Amino acid sequence: MLHLLAESLVATASTMSIVFIMLFLTGLMNELGLFYKISYLAKPLISFSHLPAVSASTFVVSLGSALAANTMIARMKDEGSLTERQAFFCAIMNSVPVYFRELFTYHLAFVVPVLGLFAGGIYAIVALSTGIIKLFIVVILGRAYLPEGSDASKDADIPENKTTIFQAVLRSLHGQGRLFLRISSLFFIMTFLVLYLSEKGILQSINALPIAQIFRVP
């Protein structure tokens, strides 16, 4: 049991160190207002979906990292800037860009060459379709269930940020600290459970044959 705890701690420390850096940099750029300067790129889509203006920034961030974007959403929800429903729709919207990004970085670059044009192409089309369906779901449900007054076109322009670097660093550390602790705790618990179940042979005993038979694959 002790060796599992030690292994879980090592895995958590190595992974969470990278997560901490990403959370800190995301919070720092957010405090300095850097995301707002490029958020206008997503404002037409956000406005049409009746999403709050701040989600334009997170949508742009999700083009590079969905984790960073959803970190911003979680923090704004904790601070009361977003309602539960707005945070839900924003998080779904943030998951859309990854499907389009991976079309070039993963599917066309790796899946299609390995699986072939037919199987790899179908795989890529299904993945891309998932992103398109998610996008339509957010637009339709956002217009149906979010008040029109919350969309980006109704919000005033973001004022120029006067925060100093030192203030931004302190705010980023304070704002992302609790979120980092929650993520780290959950990661440690799940890592320990996976290692424990694997050592006991429970994971290896799971039989996927019935699922394979349903889809008629070997």
Side-chain angles (χ1 to χ4, degrees):
M1 184 69 70
L2 290 178
H3 73 281
L4 292 180
L5 289 172
E7 191 173 349
S8 300
L9 283 174
V10 171
T12 301
S14 61
T15 303
M16 287 300 108
S17 60
I18 300 176
V19 172
F20 175 79
I21 294 174
M22 292 300 298
L23 289 177
F24 171 74
L25 291 178
T26 300
L28 180 62
M29 290 187 289
N30 185 47
E31 293 294 340
L32 293 174
L34 299 181
F35 291 136
Y36 291 113
K37 296 180 180 179
I38 57 176
S39 63
Y40 69 90
L41 297 172
K43 278 189 176 180
L45 176 61
I46 298 303
S47 175
F48 187 73
S49 305
H50 289 181
L51 293 175
V54 291
S55 62
S57 299
T58 64
F59 182 79
V60 172
V61 173
S62 68
L63 293 170
S65 171
L67 172 62
N70 286 329
T71 298
M72 295 171 64
I73 292 294
R75 181 177 174 184
M76 286 186 286
K77 178 178 173 294
D78 288 342
E79 293 175 348
S81 301
L82 294 176
T83 65
E84 188 81 28
R85 181 174 293 179
Q86 287 174 330
F88 174 73
F89 284 123
C90 289
I92 297 178
M93 181 68 85
N94 289 341
S95 69
V96 171
V98 67
Y99 295 98
F100 297 91
R101 184 179 70 243
E102 288 188 350
L103 175 65
F104 301 97
T105 62
Y106 178 62
H107 298 114
L108 295 181
F110 179 75
V111 175
V112 172
V114 171
L115 297 182
L117 185 61
F118 179 77
I122 295 297
Y123 186 98
I125 290 173
V126 170
L128 185 61
S129 299
T130 303
I132 295 174
I133 291 172
K134 277 188 175 183
L135 179 60
F136 276 109
I137 288 176
V138 174
V139 171
I140 293 172
L141 295 184
R143 293 184 66 84
Y145 292 104
L146 293 179
E148 187 174 356
S150 68
D151 65 58
S153 63
K154 301 294 188 294
D155 287 273
D157 294 334
I158 301 298
E160 187 175 347
N161 201 306
K162 300 297 184 181
T163 303
T164 65
I165 292 290
F166 181 72
Q167 290 174 326
V169 168
L170 292 180
R171 290 179 183 176
S172 178
L173 290 173
H174 180 265
Q176 309 290 50
R178 289 182 302 173
L179 184 61
F180 174 74
L181 290 177
R182 291 211 309 261
I183 295 175
S184 300
S185 301
L186 182 60
F187 185 90
F188 173 78
I189 293 172
M190 295 307 299
T191 301
F192 175 78
L193 287 177
V194 169
L195 292 176
Y196 179 80
L197 294 176
S198 179
E199 184 178 75
K200 296 299 181 181
I202 297 177
L203 294 182
Q204 292 83 344
S205 65
I206 297 177
N207 186 8
L209 183 59
I211 300 177
Q213 290 175 340
I214 292 175
F215 292 98
R216 298 183 181 180
V217 296

